[in-house]
Amino acid sequence: MNAEPSSLTARARIHAALGDPARLAVVDALVLGDASPGEIAADLDMPTNLVAHHVKVLQDAGLVMRIRSEGDRRRTYLRLVPGVLSALTAPRLGAADRVVFVCTHNSARSQLAAALWRDRVGGHVASAGIAPAPRVHPRAVRVAHEHGLALDPTGTHHVDDVVHDGDLVIAVCDNAHEDLTGPHRPRLHWSVPDPARIDTDEAFEAAYTDLADRIDRLAPALTTGADHG
């Protein structure tokens, strides 16, 4: 059976975009987390104008998309288009005693991420917020229940009370990524839109799906305390 011409064209465009070492380095930097163009330039020691050129090629090939920060609206982040690089093997992150997911209020995204990790990966996991809400959002509890996961409606915590040395801290919102510094600085950033802003079941389901996809990508690249303890 012959492949559809449009499919062949798209695949050829992706392969061509990845054929440049600098663009492949940009993609590698985005496999496990999102980043701003400036952060990419700093991490890769690459001039910003060259990063802009390579990002445009990757966008045109359908590999990368831009999203605007929900924290600082002047800032944009780059993220891989979900599923496009499903065959790409993520780089190993090495060992971590525990995974800690952090968001603003510890009421939805970080709670769902921790529950997903506990269910799909196992090992030591926790969640926290930079400004914890009194309760977990009811829609987060509901979507977790619909997927066979349980959330404690009162179990919110401040990042200062949760994060310890040896933790892999993952910011699942832009505010946590931008505000946390020092020993609590997240190693990975997932720019997951805040479902509470829209406050619909569909928004919370979309956040769940986004987090599940990212966890499935990260898990093979990480050795947790459960693996070596």
PDB file of all heavy atoms in Angstrom, residues 147-175:
ATOM      1  N   HIS A 147     -10.879   8.397  36.529  1.00  0.00           N
ATOM      2  CA  HIS A 147      -9.777   7.602  35.978  1.00  0.00           C
ATOM      3  C   HIS A 147      -9.226   6.600  36.994  1.00  0.00           C
ATOM      4  O   HIS A 147      -8.132   6.066  36.811  1.00  0.00           O
ATOM      5  CB  HIS A 147      -8.662   8.525  35.502  1.00  0.00           C
ATOM      6  CG  HIS A 147      -9.006   9.297  34.266  1.00  0.00           C
ATOM      7  ND1 HIS A 147      -8.881   8.771  32.997  1.00  0.00           N
ATOM      8  CD2 HIS A 147      -9.499  10.563  34.098  1.00  0.00           C
ATOM      9  CE1 HIS A 147      -9.262   9.665  32.102  1.00  0.00           C
ATOM     10  NE2 HIS A 147      -9.636  10.760  32.742  1.00  0.00           N
ATOM     11  N   GLY A 148      -9.973   6.363  38.047  1.00  0.00           N
ATOM     12  CA  GLY A 148      -9.589   5.356  39.019  1.00  0.00           C
ATOM     13  C   GLY A 148      -8.524   5.804  39.996  1.00  0.00           C
ATOM     14  O   GLY A 148      -7.869   4.969  40.637  1.00  0.00           O
ATOM     15  N   LEU A 149      -8.340   7.115  40.156  1.00  0.00           N
ATOM     16  CA  LEU A 149      -7.355   7.656  41.082  1.00  0.00           C
ATOM     17  C   LEU A 149      -8.063   8.369  42.229  1.00  0.00           C
ATOM     18  O   LEU A 149      -9.186   8.834  42.076  1.00  0.00           O
ATOM     19  CB  LEU A 149      -6.427   8.647  40.369  1.00  0.00           C
ATOM     20  CG  LEU A 149      -5.738   8.144  39.092  1.00  0.00           C
ATOM     21  CD1 LEU A 149      -4.923   9.264  38.464  1.00  0.00           C
ATOM     22  CD2 LEU A 149      -4.864   6.941  39.394  1.00  0.00           C
ATOM     23  N   ALA A 150      -7.395   8.448  43.358  1.00  0.00           N
ATOM     24  CA  ALA A 150      -7.988   9.097  44.530  1.00  0.00           C
ATOM     25  C   ALA A 150      -7.154  10.302  44.931  1.00  0.00           C
ATOM     26  O   ALA A 150      -5.931  10.247  44.964  1.00  0.00           O
ATOM     27  CB  ALA A 150      -8.080   8.121  45.691  1.00  0.00           C
ATOM     28  N   LEU A 151      -7.828  11.419  45.233  1.00  0.00           N
ATOM     29  CA  LEU A 151      -7.182  12.617  45.751  1.00  0.00           C
ATOM     30  C   LEU A 151      -7.798  12.963  47.100  1.00  0.00           C
ATOM     31  O   LEU A 151      -9.015  12.887  47.267  1.00  0.00           O
ATOM     32  CB  LEU A 151      -7.359  13.813  44.804  1.00  0.00           C
ATOM     33  CG  LEU A 151      -6.759  13.713  43.403  1.00  0.00           C
ATOM     34  CD1 LEU A 151      -6.977  15.033  42.654  1.00  0.00           C
ATOM     35  CD2 LEU A 151      -5.287  13.374  43.458  1.00  0.00           C
ATOM     36  N   ASP A 152      -6.961  13.343  48.050  1.00  0.00           N
ATOM     37  CA  ASP A 152      -7.435  13.797  49.359  1.00  0.00           C
ATOM     38  C   ASP A 152      -7.889  15.252  49.211  1.00  0.00           C
ATOM     39  O   ASP A 152      -7.067  16.130  48.959  1.00  0.00           O
ATOM     40  CB  ASP A 152      -6.305  13.694  50.379  1.00  0.00           C
ATOM     41  CG  ASP A 152      -6.714  14.227  51.755  1.00  0.00           C
ATOM     42  OD1 ASP A 152      -7.883  14.618  51.931  1.00  0.00           O
ATOM     43  OD2 ASP A 152      -5.834  14.255  52.644  1.00  0.00           O
ATOM     44  N   PRO A 153      -9.176  15.557  49.369  1.00  0.00           N
ATOM     45  CA  PRO A 153      -9.667  16.923  49.155  1.00  0.00           C
ATOM     46  C   PRO A 153      -9.004  17.959  50.055  1.00  0.00           C
ATOM     47  O   PRO A 153      -8.982  19.147  49.718  1.00  0.00           O
ATOM     48  CB  PRO A 153     -11.165  16.811  49.454  1.00  0.00           C
ATOM     49  CG  PRO A 153     -11.490  15.363  49.247  1.00  0.00           C
ATOM     50  CD  PRO A 153     -10.268  14.626  49.685  1.00  0.00           C
ATOM     51  N   THR A 154      -8.475  17.561  51.197  1.00  0.00           N
ATOM     52  CA  THR A 154      -7.860  18.520  52.125  1.00  0.00           C
ATOM     53  C   THR A 154      -6.336  18.449  52.113  1.00  0.00           C
ATOM     54  O   THR A 154      -5.685  19.138  52.896  1.00  0.00           O
ATOM     55  CB  THR A 154      -8.351  18.273  53.560  1.00  0.00           C
ATOM     56  OG1 THR A 154      -7.958  16.957  53.980  1.00  0.00           O
ATOM     57  CG2 THR A 154      -9.876  18.397  53.634  1.00  0.00           C
ATOM     58  N   GLY A 155      -5.762  17.640  51.239  1.00  0.00           N
ATOM     59  CA  GLY A 155      -4.333  17.389  51.293  1.00  0.00           C
ATOM     60  C   GLY A 155      -3.471  18.322  50.484  1.00  0.00           C
ATOM     61  O   GLY A 155      -2.732  17.892  49.586  1.00  0.00           O
ATOM     62  N   THR A 156      -3.530  19.620  50.762  1.00  0.00           N
ATOM     63  CA  THR A 156      -2.649  20.571  50.082  1.00  0.00           C
ATOM     64  C   THR A 156      -1.481  20.938  50.993  1.00  0.00           C
ATOM     65  O   THR A 156      -1.619  20.975  52.222  1.00  0.00           O
ATOM     66  CB  THR A 156      -3.404  21.848  49.671  1.00  0.00           C
ATOM     67  OG1 THR A 156      -3.921  22.491  50.845  1.00  0.00           O
ATOM     68  CG2 THR A 156      -4.559  21.519  48.729  1.00  0.00           C
ATOM     69  N   HIS A 157      -0.318  21.247  50.383  1.00  0.00           N
ATOM     70  CA  HIS A 157       0.892  21.505  51.152  1.00  0.00           C
ATOM     71  C   HIS A 157       1.730  22.600  50.499  1.00  0.00           C
ATOM     72  O   HIS A 157       1.695  22.780  49.277  1.00  0.00           O
ATOM     73  CB  HIS A 157       1.731  20.237  51.265  1.00  0.00           C
ATOM     74  CG  HIS A 157       0.988  19.066  51.828  1.00  0.00           C
ATOM     75  ND1 HIS A 157       0.751  18.916  53.177  1.00  0.00           N
ATOM     76  CD2 HIS A 157       0.403  18.013  51.211  1.00  0.00           C
ATOM     77  CE1 HIS A 157       0.063  17.806  53.379  1.00  0.00           C
ATOM     78  NE2 HIS A 157      -0.158  17.231  52.200  1.00  0.00           N
ATOM     79  N   HIS A 158       2.496  23.312  51.327  1.00  0.00           N
ATOM     80  CA  HIS A 158       3.404  24.345  50.836  1.00  0.00           C
ATOM     81  C   HIS A 158       4.723  23.706  50.432  1.00  0.00           C
ATOM     82  O   HIS A 158       5.196  22.756  51.066  1.00  0.00           O
ATOM     83  CB  HIS A 158       3.654  25.408  51.908  1.00  0.00           C
ATOM     84  CG  HIS A 158       4.288  26.646  51.371  1.00  0.00           C
ATOM     85  ND1 HIS A 158       5.639  26.751  51.114  1.00  0.00           N
ATOM     86  CD2 HIS A 158       3.741  27.848  51.015  1.00  0.00           C
ATOM     87  CE1 HIS A 158       5.910  27.954  50.638  1.00  0.00           C
ATOM     88  NE2 HIS A 158       4.775  28.638  50.567  1.00  0.00           N
ATOM     89  N   VAL A 159       5.320  24.250  49.384  1.00  0.00           N
ATOM     90  CA  VAL A 159       6.566  23.697  48.873  1.00  0.00           C
ATOM     91  C   VAL A 159       7.663  23.663  49.935  1.00  0.00           C
ATOM     92  O   VAL A 159       8.471  22.728  49.981  1.00  0.00           O
ATOM     93  CB  VAL A 159       7.015  24.481  47.622  1.00  0.00           C
ATOM     94  CG1 VAL A 159       7.357  25.924  47.961  1.00  0.00           C
ATOM     95  CG2 VAL A 159       8.207  23.812  46.952  1.00  0.00           C
ATOM     96  N   ASP A 160       7.695  24.649  50.824  1.00  0.00           N
ATOM     97  CA  ASP A 160       8.733  24.686  51.866  1.00  0.00           C
ATOM     98  C   ASP A 160       8.640  23.499  52.813  1.00  0.00           C
ATOM     99  O   ASP A 160       9.636  23.095  53.422  1.00  0.00           O
ATOM    100  CB  ASP A 160       8.629  25.981  52.670  1.00  0.00           C
ATOM    101  CG  ASP A 160       9.043  27.205  51.885  1.00  0.00           C
ATOM    102  OD1 ASP A 160       9.706  27.030  50.838  1.00  0.00           O
ATOM    103  OD2 ASP A 160       8.708  28.327  52.298  1.00  0.00           O
ATOM    104  N   ASP A 161       7.438  22.944  52.960  1.00  0.00           N
ATOM    105  CA  ASP A 161       7.230  21.834  53.881  1.00  0.00           C
ATOM    106  C   ASP A 161       7.411  20.463  53.221  1.00  0.00           C
ATOM    107  O   ASP A 161       7.342  19.441  53.911  1.00  0.00           O
ATOM    108  CB  ASP A 161       5.825  21.908  54.490  1.00  0.00           C
ATOM    109  CG  ASP A 161       5.589  23.196  55.256  1.00  0.00           C
ATOM    110  OD1 ASP A 161       6.539  23.659  55.917  1.00  0.00           O
ATOM    111  OD2 ASP A 161       4.464  23.732  55.187  1.00  0.00           O
ATOM    112  N   VAL A 162       7.625  20.454  51.912  1.00  0.00           N
ATOM    113  CA  VAL A 162       7.633  19.190  51.176  1.00  0.00           C
ATOM    114  C   VAL A 162       8.979  18.888  50.532  1.00  0.00           C
ATOM    115  O   VAL A 162       9.495  17.782  50.644  1.00  0.00           O
ATOM    116  CB  VAL A 162       6.515  19.185  50.103  1.00  0.00           C
ATOM    117  CG1 VAL A 162       6.612  17.952  49.214  1.00  0.00           C
ATOM    118  CG2 VAL A 162       5.145  19.261  50.761  1.00  0.00           C
ATOM    119  N   VAL A 163       9.555  19.866  49.850  1.00  0.00           N
ATOM    120  CA  VAL A 163      10.755  19.607  49.044  1.00  0.00           C
ATOM    121  C   VAL A 163      11.986  19.417  49.921  1.00  0.00           C
ATOM    122  O   VAL A 163      12.244  20.205  50.836  1.00  0.00           O
ATOM    123  CB  VAL A 163      10.983  20.754  48.038  1.00  0.00           C
ATOM    124  CG1 VAL A 163      12.297  20.554  47.289  1.00  0.00           C
ATOM    125  CG2 VAL A 163       9.821  20.826  47.049  1.00  0.00           C
ATOM    126  N   HIS A 164      12.758  18.367  49.620  1.00  0.00           N
ATOM    127  CA  HIS A 164      13.998  18.069  50.328  1.00  0.00           C
ATOM    128  C   HIS A 164      15.133  17.859  49.325  1.00  0.00           C
ATOM    129  O   HIS A 164      14.893  17.687  48.123  1.00  0.00           O
ATOM    130  CB  HIS A 164      13.845  16.803  51.187  1.00  0.00           C
ATOM    131  CG  HIS A 164      12.706  16.839  52.140  1.00  0.00           C
ATOM    132  ND1 HIS A 164      12.603  17.776  53.139  1.00  0.00           N
ATOM    133  CD2 HIS A 164      11.596  16.047  52.244  1.00  0.00           C
ATOM    134  CE1 HIS A 164      11.498  17.563  53.840  1.00  0.00           C
ATOM    135  NE2 HIS A 164      10.861  16.529  53.304  1.00  0.00           N
ATOM    136  N   ASP A 165      16.350  17.835  49.806  1.00  0.00           N
ATOM    137  CA  ASP A 165      17.497  17.520  48.960  1.00  0.00           C
ATOM    138  C   ASP A 165      17.299  16.139  48.337  1.00  0.00           C
ATOM    139  O   ASP A 165      16.838  15.204  48.990  1.00  0.00           O
ATOM    140  CB  ASP A 165      18.792  17.524  49.773  1.00  0.00           C
ATOM    141  CG  ASP A 165      19.172  18.916  50.273  1.00  0.00           C
ATOM    142  OD1 ASP A 165      18.652  19.894  49.711  1.00  0.00           O
ATOM    143  OD2 ASP A 165      19.977  19.005  51.209  1.00  0.00           O
ATOM    144  N   GLY A 166      17.672  16.022  47.085  1.00  0.00           N
ATOM    145  CA  GLY A 166      17.542  14.739  46.390  1.00  0.00           C
ATOM    146  C   GLY A 166      16.247  14.576  45.634  1.00  0.00           C
ATOM    147  O   GLY A 166      16.081  13.601  44.895  1.00  0.00           O
ATOM    148  N   ASP A 167      15.299  15.520  45.802  1.00  0.00           N
ATOM    149  CA  ASP A 167      14.036  15.453  45.069  1.00  0.00           C
ATOM    150  C   ASP A 167      14.217  15.951  43.637  1.00  0.00           C
ATOM    151  O   ASP A 167      14.981  16.890  43.386  1.00  0.00           O
ATOM    152  CB  ASP A 167      12.966  16.318  45.741  1.00  0.00           C
ATOM    153  CG  ASP A 167      12.484  15.741  47.056  1.00  0.00           C
ATOM    154  OD1 ASP A 167      12.652  14.528  47.263  1.00  0.00           O
ATOM    155  OD2 ASP A 167      11.939  16.517  47.867  1.00  0.00           O
ATOM    156  N   LEU A 168      13.507  15.334  42.724  1.00  0.00           N
ATOM    157  CA  LEU A 168      13.366  15.873  41.375  1.00  0.00           C
ATOM    158  C   LEU A 168      12.112  16.732  41.386  1.00  0.00           C
ATOM    159  O   LEU A 168      10.999  16.217  41.447  1.00  0.00           O
ATOM    160  CB  LEU A 168      13.236  14.758  40.340  1.00  0.00           C
ATOM    161  CG  LEU A 168      12.867  15.218  38.920  1.00  0.00           C
ATOM    162  CD1 LEU A 168      13.960  16.104  38.329  1.00  0.00           C
ATOM    163  CD2 LEU A 168      12.588  14.027  38.014  1.00  0.00           C
ATOM    164  N   VAL A 169      12.292  18.053  41.355  1.00  0.00           N
ATOM    165  CA  VAL A 169      11.160  18.984  41.418  1.00  0.00           C
ATOM    166  C   VAL A 169      10.728  19.325  39.995  1.00  0.00           C
ATOM    167  O   VAL A 169      11.544  19.769  39.170  1.00  0.00           O
ATOM    168  CB  VAL A 169      11.533  20.265  42.180  1.00  0.00           C
ATOM    169  CG1 VAL A 169      10.349  21.220  42.238  1.00  0.00           C
ATOM    170  CG2 VAL A 169      12.006  19.915  43.589  1.00  0.00           C
ATOM    171  N   ILE A 170       9.450  19.131  39.724  1.00  0.00           N
ATOM    172  CA  ILE A 170       8.886  19.420  38.404  1.00  0.00           C
ATOM    173  C   ILE A 170       7.785  20.458  38.571  1.00  0.00           C
ATOM    174  O   ILE A 170       6.780  20.211  39.249  1.00  0.00           O
ATOM    175  CB  ILE A 170       8.312  18.154  37.747  1.00  0.00           C
ATOM    176  CG1 ILE A 170       9.391  17.067  37.639  1.00  0.00           C
ATOM    177  CG2 ILE A 170       7.736  18.480  36.370  1.00  0.00           C
ATOM    178  CD1 ILE A 170       8.874  15.738  37.112  1.00  0.00           C
ATOM    179  N   ALA A 171       7.976  21.618  37.975  1.00  0.00           N
ATOM    180  CA  ALA A 171       6.946  22.657  37.983  1.00  0.00           C
ATOM    181  C   ALA A 171       5.939  22.346  36.885  1.00  0.00           C
ATOM    182  O   ALA A 171       6.302  22.246  35.711  1.00  0.00           O
ATOM    183  CB  ALA A 171       7.564  24.034  37.750  1.00  0.00           C
ATOM    184  N   VAL A 172       4.673  22.202  37.268  1.00  0.00           N
ATOM    185  CA  VAL A 172       3.637  21.901  36.287  1.00  0.00           C
ATOM    186  C   VAL A 172       2.783  23.134  35.998  1.00  0.00           C
ATOM    187  O   VAL A 172       1.675  23.023  35.483  1.00  0.00           O
ATOM    188  CB  VAL A 172       2.762  20.707  36.724  1.00  0.00           C
ATOM    189  CG1 VAL A 172       3.573  19.427  36.722  1.00  0.00           C
ATOM    190  CG2 VAL A 172       2.141  20.945  38.093  1.00  0.00           C
ATOM    191  N   CYS A 173       3.315  24.301  36.352  1.00  0.00           N
ATOM    192  CA  CYS A 173       2.672  25.560  35.969  1.00  0.00           C
ATOM    193  C   CYS A 173       3.756  26.612  35.785  1.00  0.00           C
ATOM    194  O   CYS A 173       4.872  26.488  36.289  1.00  0.00           O
ATOM    195  CB  CYS A 173       1.633  26.013  36.993  1.00  0.00           C
ATOM    196  SG  CYS A 173       2.292  26.865  38.441  1.00  0.00           S
ATOM    197  N   ASP A 174       3.415  27.669  35.047  1.00  0.00           N
ATOM    198  CA  ASP A 174       4.394  28.701  34.729  1.00  0.00           C
ATOM    199  C   ASP A 174       4.786  29.510  35.961  1.00  0.00           C
ATOM    200  O   ASP A 174       5.948  29.889  36.123  1.00  0.00           O
ATOM    201  CB  ASP A 174       3.837  29.636  33.648  1.00  0.00           C
ATOM    202  CG  ASP A 174       3.549  28.899  32.353  1.00  0.00           C
ATOM    203  OD1 ASP A 174       4.176  27.841  32.121  1.00  0.00           O
ATOM    204  OD2 ASP A 174       2.690  29.365  31.575  1.00  0.00           O
ATOM    205  N   ASN A 175       3.830  29.803  36.836  1.00  0.00           N
ATOM    206  CA  ASN A 175       4.145  30.607  38.020  1.00  0.00           C
ATOM    207  C   ASN A 175       5.183  29.921  38.900  1.00  0.00           C
ATOM    208  O   ASN A 175       6.127  30.562  39.373  1.00  0.00           O
ATOM    209  CB  ASN A 175       2.869  30.882  38.839  1.00  0.00           C
ATOM    210  CG  ASN A 175       1.982  31.926  38.205  1.00  0.00           C
ATOM    211  OD1 ASN A 175       2.474  32.919  37.675  1.00  0.00           O
ATOM    212  ND2 ASN A 175       0.685  31.709  38.237  1.00  0.00           N
TER     213      ASN A 175
END
